[in-house]
Amino acid sequence: MSDRYLEFTNSAFGKSLSGLLGLPSPPRLKRADAAYATRPLGGQAVMLGGTTAGDLAAPLLAALNEAGATVQIAPGHVGLARLKTAAAETGVALKTEPNPEDRAAAAFAFVFDASGVDGPARLRELYDFMQPRVGRIPANGRVLILSRAPSAAVTPAAQAALQGLRGFVRSFAKEIGKKGATANLLEVAPGADEALAGPLRFFLSPHSAYITGQTLPLSAPPAEVGHQFQQPLAGKVAIVTGAARGIGAAIAATLAREGAKVVGIDRPQEEGALGETLSKFDGYGLALDITAADAPQRIAEEVTARFGGVDIVVHNAGITRDKMLKNMAPHLWDMVIDVNFAAILRINEALLKQGLNDGARMVCISSIGGIAGNAGQTNYGATKAGVMGYVEAMAAQMASRGGAINAVAPGFIETAMTAQMPTGPREVGRRLASLGQGGLPIDIAEAVTFLASPMAAAVNGRTLRVCGQNFVGA
Ligand SMILES: NC(=O)c1ccc[n+]([C@@H]2O[C@H](COP(=O)([O-])OP(=O)(O)OC[C@H]3O[C@@H](n4cnc5c(N)ncnc54)[C@H](O)[C@@H]3O)[C@@H](O)[C@H]2O)c1
């Protein structure tokens, strides 16, 4: 379903009318129109800052340089000496920040190494860097802060201040969302420095257009991290459940765009739609109900026999059967638990015995409904929160096989599921996001594809919210 208000306010007439009446004017988000490239930031400038102390500048500079970015620094900046030392170590050339009037040379992204934050006073250095530049963040610009995990801090003051960065990012994202700009935080564990490049590319790119206000912890990857950024899924086999339509169809197409061979699964009654979706990228269809008793075994046997195993598993199929708990019949409870939750556990159990290749990455689709809760969704909320607990619980087991498991929690996404909502809640769902609109299936697909790829080697056991910073969702 299209967002008519967004279309209207982005027309010439709608823009002037909404301006005149003081109505909100959600921005048109710039989304990726192509696959990942080797040097995606070629020709683009990134403004870099950092606290006086800290130790992420060198890997950060190396990753920005490898991605093709021109790195700018400000002459009077407190962290300058450290950035210059890191630049000398890595052989990366630094440019002086251009005059604010020079729009052509202006940075599209602002990256700050806050790994040296050791107490409340040091947060001032972030303020000093960001505050004078807020007006220079362009439409669809990016702000990315890097820090160490609060839990790894040695003093209570450092732990508290590092946690303070999360609050900064959440609030700042709300301030710059009207421009379609995003702000996010990466918390880099010791041992994860070498795996920074993938998340950095994702969060600075249009592939992450609907993700803002989020904190993503990076942990030491289980194996050496590769640097193949173009067609990162070439040679991989991926299963996607619920692939016939909606978010699942977008996930299947996006995984294929990055080189994966996709096995799409959907219910037998959706076989026609499934075939149509998969025919666009030579995917392989498996028409089965994931809750059927023999489904786990059939999936495991089929991927082993046809493809020699599977490298990516995306558990996307999901249903809602909303009712206030006092009116909820037992079968409505059971159906939702079975499709959204229990089937995932059964399928994984079978795949872990047969069919799952070493280094396999899994992504489960959760929901903001499992975080914020919605009246009438006790069954759905239990499954979606359960999925988040499941990825946490399974992370170590997946890492022991060289792989990972993560979840994506979509907010309000424009699909058949949300088109059924009454107009009032639907409008609230859209406008209450910092980005002022609902997401599109492609936004979830991009996040899943990132997490399914070696670019996210340092991400395991996490839930990434793709919600435009909103708390309403199916
Ligand atoms: N649309 C949103 O705003 C939103 C928000 C948060 C989370 N989600 C989650 O995203 C996922 C996809 O949602 P969507 O909006 O694309 O839904 P959708 O209803 O458009 O598509 C779901 C797909 O799953 C398939 N499916 C359902 N039960 C199945 C079963 N037993 N076996 C095999 N396939 C089955 C359906 O046939 C359908 O093709 C779901 O897990 C949903 O809970 C959606």
Side-chain angles (χ1 to χ4, degrees), residues 310-332:
V310 62
D311 308 287
I312 295 164
V313 183
V314 182
H315 291 288
N316 160 77
I319 57 168
T320 50
R321 291 294 182 272
D322 298 356
K323 279 273 179 227
M324 292 298 186
L325 187 60
K326 66 176 180 201
N327 302 324
M328 190 182 289
H331 73 279
L332 298 182

Side-chain angles (χ1 to χ4, degrees), residues 242 245 247 266-267 289-290 316 365 380 384 411 413 415 418 474:
R245 63 166 196 240
I247 293 172
D266 214 299
R267 295 173 300 168
D289 184 325
I290 55 164
N316 160 77
I365 305 299
Y380 187 78
K384 296 301 187 179
I413 306 298
T415 63
T418 46

Side-chain angles (χ1 to χ4, degrees), residues 11-296:
S11 67
F13 174 63
K15 214 172 236 151
S16 50
L17 188 69
S18 58
L20 211 65
L21 298 176
L23 294 171
S25 182
R28 203 181 278 288
L29 299 183
K30 184 170 181 253
R31 293 184 164 88
D33 53 10
Y36 282 93
T38 306
R39 287 167 68 80
L41 302 182
Q44 298 194 74
V46 173
M47 178 69 204
L48 184 63
T51 41
T52 16
D55 53 6
L56 282 171
L60 196 48
L61 275 168
L64 286 169
N65 188 52
E66 196 186 8
T70 302
V71 182
Q72 298 176 350
I73 38 116
H77 175 55
V78 286
L80 195 60
R82 192 165 65 76
L83 298 184
K84 281 189 167 166
T85 309
E89 264 170 39
T90 50
V92 177
L94 299 175
K95 288 238 158 103
T96 302
E97 186 179 31
N99 201 303
E101 280 79 60
D102 184 355
R103 300 243 161 206
F108 85 100
F110 297 78
V111 177
F112 190 84
D113 170 12
S115 57
V117 164
D118 55 2
R122 192 84 69 181
L123 291 172
R124 174 64 192 268
E125 296 178 4
L126 169 60
Y127 166 89
D128 288 340
F129 173 77
M130 216 56 251
Q131 197 276 341
R133 298 187 171 84
V134 179
R136 293 185 216 168
I137 300 170
N140 289 295
R142 294 284 180 269
V143 174
L144 191 61
I145 297 176
L146 292 97
S147 77
R148 293 298 183 188
S151 57
V154 287
T155 65
Q159 180 165 346
L162 285 168
Q163 197 143 324
L165 293 169
R166 298 178 185 173
F168 174 88
V169 161
R170 281 195 290 267
S171 290
F172 194 40
K174 295 201 168 170
E175 292 184 16
I176 62 176
K178 341 179 191 8
K179 297 187 198 182
T182 67
N184 292 290
L185 172 66
L186 297 176
E187 290 179 348
V188 188
D193 298 13
E194 299 313 313
L196 255 181
L200 187 86
R201 283 171 182 243
F202 176 67
F203 282 100
L204 292 185
S205 77
H207 297 282
S208 62
Y210 199 60
I211 305 177
T212 192
Q214 302 306 308
T215 297
L216 185 65
L218 306 182
S219 31
E224 205 177 307
V225 180
H227 281 247
Q228 190 198 315
F229 296 109
Q230 199 167 8
Q231 291 288 284
L233 304 184
K236 307 273 187 208
V237 175
I239 291 175
V240 181
T241 68
R245 63 166 196 240
I247 293 172
I251 293 170
T254 310
L255 293 172
R257 182 192 76 192
E258 300 300 335
K261 175 79 184 173
V262 176
V263 179
I265 297 176
D266 214 299
R267 295 173 300 168
Q269 59 267 46
E270 300 293 339
E271 195 168 9
L274 180 66
E276 206 180 309
T277 298
L278 297 173
S279 66
K280 293 174 196 141
F281 41 84
D282 196 26
Y284 178 78
L286 208 48
L288 56 79
D289 184 325
I290 55 164
T291 63
D294 64 347

Side-chain angles (χ1 to χ4, degrees), residues 191 195 219-225 359-361 395-396 398-404 456-460:
S219 31
E224 205 177 307
V225 180
R361 301 188 64 89
M398 290 300 291
S400 72
R401 301 169 66 120
V459 188
N460 190 12

